[in-house]
Amino acid sequence: MQRADGAALLRTGRRALERADWESARSAYSAALGAGAGVADARDGLAQAQWFLGRVAEAIALREQAFEEHVRAGRCAEAARCAVWVAHQHLLGGHAAAARGWLARAERALADAAPCAGHGWVAVERARQAATVADQAAAASAALAVARTTGDADLEVLAISLLGRAEVRAGRREPGLLLLEEAMAAATAGQARDVHTLGEAYCNLVLGCAGAGEWTRADEWCAHVEAFARDRAIAPLFGACRTVHAELLLAGGRWAAAEQALQDALAARSPDLPEVSAPTVAALAELRVQQDRLADAEQLLAGRAEHPAVLRALALLRLAGGRPRQAVTLLERGLRAAPDDAVVTGGLLSPLVHARLALADLPGARRAAAELAALGEATGIRLLAARAQLAASAVELAAGRAGEAAEPARRALRGFTALHMPFDAALARLALARAVAPADGGTARDEAAAALTAFRELGAARAAEAAAAVLRECTDADRHRVPGGLSAREEEVLALVARGLSNAGIARALVISEKTAGHHVSHILAKLGARNRAEAAALAVRRQQPAG
């Protein structure tokens, strides 16, 4: 009778887990454990209930014991799944050595076992712990093969989501997004029943979309995932999803709502899972930098983890604080740690261009911008392509080649506008204002004013200050423009044209590049309505003659 009651308690516990009734699951599994029924399964189920109730350390200890009991009972697949879960918790807790140790224990449990789903779960953990994106994709593919052979639906959904995220990170945007959406469709159709599996699959989807700058796709799923997390009171998943949602809000220019979302995510974070909260801290720190609240950003990043998002945020803080050399060191460290991760690399290369420019390292900035451009072209990730155009414009401006900076600034503006990213679009407008200022002060003034308005509406204090400075320069230049529509610089060039100087001669006389001299000449011809240099020279002579 006791055994029958124990079996019933185990079934009650399983059903409670599936409907996210954590307290009922805890009660049922505790009773089953007390009755001595299915000790390993009871301890395993109790561990899961305790985890969802926020008792992470207790849950890990229980599942470690369950692993030993599964091993003694010869249940290698169950033992492997327990060990993999424990390894993943240690990984999220920032204990990489312990995570590797538990992965090794899972592999040992399966050493002499016939092929089973446990081999697929071990492959899942290899994917999570992979040092490179290529290794992650290979391990996820192996897990998927096992899932389809054994018919393990939970394993299949998780493996597809891991593979999809790896494909996006590797720069294979469309195949990766299709895999992520396949996993999501299977999950929402009820193919997977384990709540842990569903939660991780959902996270992989929204993180993969957000990483590729696919804000519309990410937004489409975010509300669903948040509802899933809230209905089941899964605080860690809720925190992770709020962070992704905040990134969508930041990109879309809804900074006040993003700030609240990030603060909610931090309030929901578990101290036992620092890897989950690292992106949240980094996103809020980046926002504080843009708000010119550098001390607040410094406090957030104190005791930072070696996470790419944290390294980027800290580099932006150092750059804002006038310490570009430290910014370069941090960004290059992040790049070395993620050699084949296109998403991470793109996020680090963009600020690296500006840090190099702040050090007056024009060749280094140009190399970083070229690498970013190649990455955007190879991956088809529109966010990377727009960032590359903005970086190219910044490099040309720093080189004193305003004419060459205008077109990439326009392309960046089109790209960020299409992605519905008003802050970045305003940065592109500001670059465009700087680029066209020498030839077209009116347009420059309009673009700088539009950028300033956008920055002020967002609360981007640092960028607003820069835009105000450019607008003042444009206004001052207008005051010094001479009659006839030519700027003071263009009048200088026209005088040299009238003396018969070539573009090369003008460049030497004014200490500018020959290409810039050519742009000035082209603008002068257009403004004067002259067909060639000879007509422009004749007009210049007539303008110097007294009237009447």
Side-chain angles (χ1 to χ4, degrees):
M1 184 66 178
Q2 187 180 24
R3 183 174 299 173
D5 289 345
L9 286 167
L10 289 174
R11 288 194 297 273
T12 299
R14 280 195 297 274
R15 286 195 293 270
L17 280 181
E18 288 175 4
R19 67 173 184 271
D21 185 352
W22 314 128
E23 190 55 52
S24 294
R26 187 203 64 75
S27 179
Y29 282 123
S30 293
L33 195 59
V39 173
D41 288 334
R43 207 180 303 278
D44 201 345
L46 180 58
Q48 295 182 63
Q50 295 289 54
W51 188 90
F52 285 114
L53 288 168
R55 300 161 191 159
V56 175
E58 186 176 343
I60 292 173
L62 282 165
R63 220 157 190 195
E64 288 175 348
Q65 294 173 50
F67 166 78
E68 301 290 354
E69 289 156 356
H70 284 312
V71 170
R72 285 196 294 271
R75 302 172 71 190
C76 60
E78 290 82 356
R81 188 161 182 176
C82 271
V84 161
W85 185 91
V86 172
H88 190 45
Q89 295 306 306
H90 284 306
L91 190 66
L92 293 175
H95 308 300
R100 290 192 297 270
W102 274 95
L103 175 57
R105 296 194 77 179
E107 291 169 335
R108 184 179 296 277
L110 293 174
D112 300 318
C116 66
H119 292 90
W121 289 104
V122 168
V124 159
E125 188 57 27
R126 289 197 192 107
R128 290 165 173 155
Q129 295 190 29
T132 67
V133 177
D135 289 344
Q136 183 184 56
S141 296
L144 182 56
V146 172
R148 288 176 171 165
T149 300
T150 60
D152 189 321
D154 286 317
L155 177 61
E156 182 174 7
V157 167
L158 184 53
I160 292 173
S161 75
L162 282 167
L163 181 58
R165 191 173 173 197
E167 289 291 292
V168 170
R169 291 176 64 200
R172 295 183 284 273
R173 170 179 168 271
E174 277 306 315
L177 291 173
L178 287 173
L179 283 165
L180 288 168
E181 292 186 337
E182 179 186 348
M184 194 66 165
T188 54
Q191 183 174 332
R193 301 180 68 182
D194 181 82
V195 180
H196 274 287
T197 299
L198 284 168
E200 187 173 350
Y202 287 156
C203 263
N204 283 330
L205 176 81
V206 293
L207 289 169
C209 289
E214 294 293 329
W215 311 116
T216 302
R217 281 179 169 175
D219 200 25
E220 183 180 340
W221 290 111
C222 232
H224 176 86
V225 176
E226 281 197 25
F228 171 86
R230 188 180 294 106
D231 291 347
R232 291 158 180 79
I234 310 174
L237 176 58
F238 179 74
C241 289
R242 288 300 282 171
T243 299
V244 177
H245 188 208
E247 290 181 4
L248 304 181
L249 294 170
L250 286 169
R254 292 171 284 174
W255 282 18
E259 184 169 357
Q260 186 60 58
L262 290 168
Q263 290 172 341
D264 289 347
L266 286 176
R269 67 178 171 173
S270 167
D272 298 298
L273 304 173
E275 285 296 302
V276 173
S277 61
T280 311
V281 171
L284 186 55
E286 281 202 31
L287 179 58
R288 293 289 182 252
V289 170
Q290 294 303 337
Q291 293 169 331
D292 206 21
R293 296 169 58 180
L294 303 189
D296 291 342
E298 188 77 57
Q299 186 175 1
L300 280 165
L301 296 170
R304 64 192 182 276
E306 282 294 308
H307 188 286
V310 174
L311 290 173
R312 172 186 153 93
L314 192 58
L316 290 171
L317 175 60
R318 295 290 172 258
L319 191 55
R323 296 154 70 183
R325 193 168 300 282
Q326 288 188 1
V328 168
T329 299
L330 290 162
L331 293 165
E332 290 186 339
R333 191 160 82 218
L335 288 167
R336 286 193 297 272
D340 62 343
D341 190 324
V343 171
V344 170
T345 297
L348 296 172
L349 281 174
S350 182
L352 181 60
V353 172
H354 297 283
R356 288 283 184 199
L357 290 176
L359 288 171
D361 178 9
L362 189 60
R366 196 179 292 282
R367 285 194 301 272
E371 189 176 347
L372 183 57
L375 195 62
E377 185 175 353
T379 62
I381 296 176
R382 295 179 297 162
L383 176 59
L384 297 185
R387 283 176 171 170
Q389 293 295 336
L390 187 57
S393 181
V395 169
E396 295 302 338
L397 284 168
R401 301 173 2 136
E404 287 78 0
E407 186 53 33
R410 291 189 188 97
R411 290 175 183 166
L413 177 57
R414 288 194 294 269
F416 288 126
T417 300
L419 288 167
H420 307 289
M421 299 176 69
F423 174 74
D424 299 88
L427 289 177
R429 285 192 185 280
L430 195 56
L432 181 57
R434 288 173 170 142
V436 302
D440 188 350
T443 297
R445 187 175 60 254
D446 291 345
E447 295 293 352
L452 178 58
T453 299
F455 292 141
R456 284 177 173 167
E457 288 176 353
L458 288 166
R462 294 189 64 78
E465 185 178 337
V470 173
L471 185 56
R472 284 193 300 271
E473 291 171 8
C474 293
T475 303
D476 289 344
D478 276 351
R479 293 195 188 104
H480 292 90
R481 289 184 190 279
V482 296
L486 300 185
S487 68
R489 172 64 94 183
E490 286 168 344
E491 286 288 345
E492 292 176 4
V493 172
L494 179 58
L496 296 174
V497 168
R499 287 168 49 191
L501 270 68
S502 64
N503 288 351
I506 294 169
R508 286 193 296 273
L510 298 180
V511 196
I512 58 176
S513 72
E514 185 174 348
K515 198 166 187 178
T516 299
H519 282 300
H520 282 312
V521 171
S522 296
H523 287 304
I524 290 166
L525 295 179
K527 287 182 177 182
L528 295 179
R531 289 175 295 180
N532 51 46
R533 298 168 80 95
E535 283 191 10
L539 286 168
V541 171
R542 286 201 297 272
R543 290 175 67 198
Q544 295 299 319
Q545 295 173 348

